[in-house]
Amino acid sequence: MPWSARWSSTGDCLVPSPAIGLGALLAIAGALFQTVTRNPLASPDILGLSNGAFTGMLLALVFVSASWPVRTIGALAGGILTAAAIWLLAYRGGVQGFRLIVIGIGVSAILASLNTWMLLQIELETAMFASAWGTGTLNGVKAAPLAGALLCSLPFAAAAFLLVPRLRQLDLGDDMAAATGVRPNIVRTLSLLIGVALVAAATSIAGPVAFVSLAAPQIARLVARTPHLSLTLSALLGALLLLGSDLVAQHVLPVTLPVGVVTVSVGGAYLVLMIILEIRRRA
């Protein structure tokens, strides 16, 4: 889709670009996950929630209907059920961040294989549509479902910002937080539920766009030079990251690509850089 069409009231979308809102939602979700697990690698896409949303969307598409409300509900249900499964598998009297990530990576791999198998079994036309959505794309985003997803996400985004003071207290340690009246497990559970809802809403519109939720909060931390993740700055940088990636996908490269292809490439380089810096830090 031409860039100008995303700014046009007569085009498919009535807002400047869906990348702004969806990038912000992904970044807020990533910041919540990384804060409560205290691990910079804990993002919804790494944990498999995006693949879970894709699985839900595929099942809804094949067995129910191709309409956007059905696909959206399927993606939301897939993301939430995947998060619940990972949480139950990782729970041992509490959820430890490293165990959550390892189990999430395993669940993500299983769901990715299941998604590939389902794409090979369904009709060609349906498979082509689902494959395009599964790469993470902003092309063809309609105003109605986008507005619906953003409106549904607003209460969750507001709740995330209301939790910020309690998340700051969690940084002091569970014992210190409990001494100040904060219930660590309840705050963590609420934060993860809010993160799941935000990433599922974004995924239901654009598909599983990778690495925005992983990279944006950490870039925000580097920019702000603070030990805490800023939700506001993360949201801003998530919007800019997805907007810039969409611009590259649409206009800079020789061929037009889904935005998810660009974010995967950028995110992969970012992940390698993080690993190199971590190895040097520990050396």
Side-chain angles (χ1 to χ4, degrees):
M1 177 190 294
W3 179 259
S4 58
R6 293 191 178 146
W7 291 81
S8 171
S9 61
T10 59
D12 287 333
C13 189
L14 296 176
V15 296
S17 171
I20 296 174
L22 300 182
L25 294 183
L26 291 172
I28 293 173
L32 289 174
F33 272 76
Q34 292 172 18
T35 298
V36 298
T37 61
R38 299 175 184 173
N39 194 314
L41 293 178
S43 71
D45 45 344
I46 296 293
L47 292 177
L49 303 189
S50 297
N51 278 330
F54 189 26
T55 303
M57 177 268 189
L58 276 176
L59 291 173
L61 181 66
V62 173
F63 293 108
V64 185
S65 166
S67 64
W68 73 263
V70 172
R71 287 187 282 119
T72 299
I73 293 173
L76 287 169
I80 292 171
L81 290 175
T82 302
I86 294 171
W87 179 272
L88 290 175
L89 290 171
Y91 191 84
R92 295 290 184 277
V95 176
Q96 195 267 338
F98 181 74
R99 186 166 58 233
L100 188 74
I101 293 172
V102 171
I103 291 176
I105 291 173
V107 171
S108 179
I110 293 172
L111 290 174
S113 300
L114 177 63
N115 294 340
T116 301
W117 178 78
M118 284 196 291
L119 287 174
L120 293 174
Q121 301 302 313
I122 60 181
E123 296 179 357
L124 179 61
E125 185 177 349
T126 305
M128 290 178 65
F129 170 78
S131 296
W133 187 85
T135 58
T137 178
L138 298 176
N139 294 332
V141 172
K142 305 294 184 183
L146 175 65
L150 293 178
L151 286 174
C152 290
S153 301
L154 280 179
F156 294 101
F161 283 94
L162 291 175
L163 279 176
V164 167
R166 291 172 174 79
L167 292 173
R168 295 286 179 270
Q169 288 176 270
L170 279 186
D171 288 339
L172 302 175
D174 286 3
D175 293 339
M176 184 67 74
T180 58
V182 173
R183 297 183 176 180
N185 285 334
I186 292 179
V187 173
R188 288 195 185 94
T189 302
L190 285 176
S191 299
L192 292 178
L193 286 175
I194 292 169
V196 169
L198 294 178
V199 74
T203 304
S204 70
I205 298 301
V209 179
F211 285 108
V212 174
S213 57
L214 172 71
Q218 292 303 315
I219 296 173
R221 187 202 293 270
L222 292 175
V223 171
R225 295 175 181 248
T226 63
H228 308 296
L229 291 177
S230 166
L231 290 191
T232 304
L233 192 54
S234 296
L236 176 61
L237 289 173
L240 290 175
L241 184 59
L242 192 54
L243 193 63
S245 297
D246 190 39
L247 180 61
V248 171
Q250 297 294 323
H251 294 282
V252 175
L253 298 175
V255 294
T256 301
L257 294 173
V259 69
V261 176
V262 176
T263 59
V264 165
S265 301
V266 174
Y270 168 79
L271 193 58
V272 171
L273 177 62
M274 278 189 63
I275 293 173
I276 292 174
L277 292 176
E278 183 65 17
I279 292 174
R280 288 183 176 178
R281 188 180 67 82
R282 297 188 177 187

